Amino acid sequence: MPEKKNPNHIRLTSHPDGDVPSVPIRWGDGEPTRRGPVVATLTEPGHRNVIGTHAGAYAVYRALAVAAGMLPQDHRADLKNTAPAAQVGPHPSWSNPERIVSLDPWGAIAPQAFRAYAEQGIDFRPTIAVTKAHINFPEVRDAIDAGRLKPDGDLLRDNGDIKVTKAAVDPVWYLPGIAKRFGMTESALRRGLFEQTGGMFPELITRPDLHVFLPPIGGLTLYVFGGIETLADRDVPLTARVHDECNGSDVFGSDICTCRPYLAHGIEECVRTAQAGGAGLIVYLRKEGRALGEVTKFLVYNARKRQEGGDSAATYFQRTECVAGVQDMRFQELMPDVLHWLGITRIHRFVSMSDMKHDAITRSGIEILERVPIPDELIPADAQVEMEAKKAAGYFTQGPVADAEELARVKGRGLDV
């Protein structure tokens, strides 16, 4: 419970402050009242127990709205009827302080789990929202027309609508855990974040008592096909694709990469598994341009196409590194956290050829039985350079079945996975 403090207390962020937050966070505690809520609101500075504010990258828009007089700075959210449309957890992974470090596992049910804090006037917000929806991909309608998918009137309708449960997740970083994932000290992590954001968050240096940071970056969205409660059941076949954002391809159909075709293929495979009695999962992470951003991505496109001899697999990564200084900044070390939030311990079919993704997931303790490559006929002509470059760089492998005996056992239950 919150400790009583002077409500008019003002912190000088230019000086160290060793005060214990009035609402402490005990990361990894399995009992929510002891764990404590993430308080990033600005209505009562003395209650804040994190660095940063809610909504990730969108926090800047909120700041602009307040500065422009369009939003009262003391606004409190009315959370009536906003509870999750489907239940997730709690799972054992929620009480492991090292298993989940980049999101708040209690974020979807914060108003319910931390009700006692709300009754004390503590203003906190959910960092995860779960709802129900329908999605529709033209490629799914094509799969129906080709006879690869058959509408069932429930999960998949004749017009291509697919029933899903989806969740949006804002990043919440537990700094000691983040530092350990990347093999560095927490102090080195704090200094790097402070210096390389131009000093945006002085509390990274001045408030060593605050160990949770809400970074101004994009979060993720996940889409579940079938029962979300079955994802934690190792015996229910699960097909999953972890997809990093590619706006040009995913939304606008650019054919220079395989992103949208692989996303559509993943959705088709998820639907097929769910219809056979299993479940499907798409995790969509905001990491545009390998987390280098879309401006850098387009600069690299120009550099690749204008070089002498034209675009080639041999110089594919070199041109990226010349512009960005690094080939890839997606750092998949944090990606498995959302899988652990869902309670997943086994993925039967992983729709990805990326070794970075596969290895990050299996290192985190999740079993992958089979890897599913993108069919050759789905690779656009302009994306052949990318595929050849990745093959040459050892970027991915199609990989054999990791556990043929177990996969055969599952298939023996009559489930076509």
Side-chain angles (χ1 to χ4, degrees), residues 257-281:
C257 64
T258 60
C259 294
R260 182 182 174 99
Y262 219 156
L263 176 61
H265 179 58
I267 291 173
E268 182 176 335
E269 293 296 325
C270 285
V271 170
R272 187 174 293 111
T273 301
Q275 286 184 319
L281 171 67

Side-chain angles (χ1 to χ4, degrees), residues 206-321:
T206 65
R207 294 295 307 276
D209 57 308
L210 298 180
H211 295 285
V212 177
F213 175 42
L214 274 59
I217 60 174
L220 64 90
T221 312
L222 59 89
Y223 296 82
V224 178
F225 306 76
I228 195 169
E229 70 283 352
T230 69
L231 298 182
D233 189 336
R234 291 172 57 84
D235 293 326
V236 174
L238 171 61
T239 292
R241 171 158 179 80
V242 175
H243 189 92
D244 291 326
E245 177 185 29
C246 179
N247 185 61
S249 178
D250 297 341
V251 179
F252 293 101
S254 170
D255 62 355
I256 199 171
C257 64
T258 60
C259 294
R260 182 182 174 99
Y262 219 156
L263 176 61
H265 179 58
I267 291 173
E268 182 176 335
E269 293 296 325
C270 285
V271 170
R272 187 174 293 111
T273 301
Q275 286 184 319
L281 171 67
I282 299 290
V283 178
Y284 193 89
L285 300 110
R286 267 62 184 201
K287 296 180 181 178
E288 180 64 60
R290 301 197 204 115
L292 300 170
E294 207 162 25
V295 170
T296 295
K297 181 178 179 179
F298 288 5
L299 293 175
V300 171
Y301 283 170
N302 287 343
R304 284 171 48 195
K305 294 174 181 178
R306 291 170 179 168
Q307 65 188 344
E308 186 176 350
D311 197 7
S312 71
T315 58
Y316 179 86
F317 287 112
Q318 179 187 355
R319 295 310 298 145
T320 301
E321 197 164 352

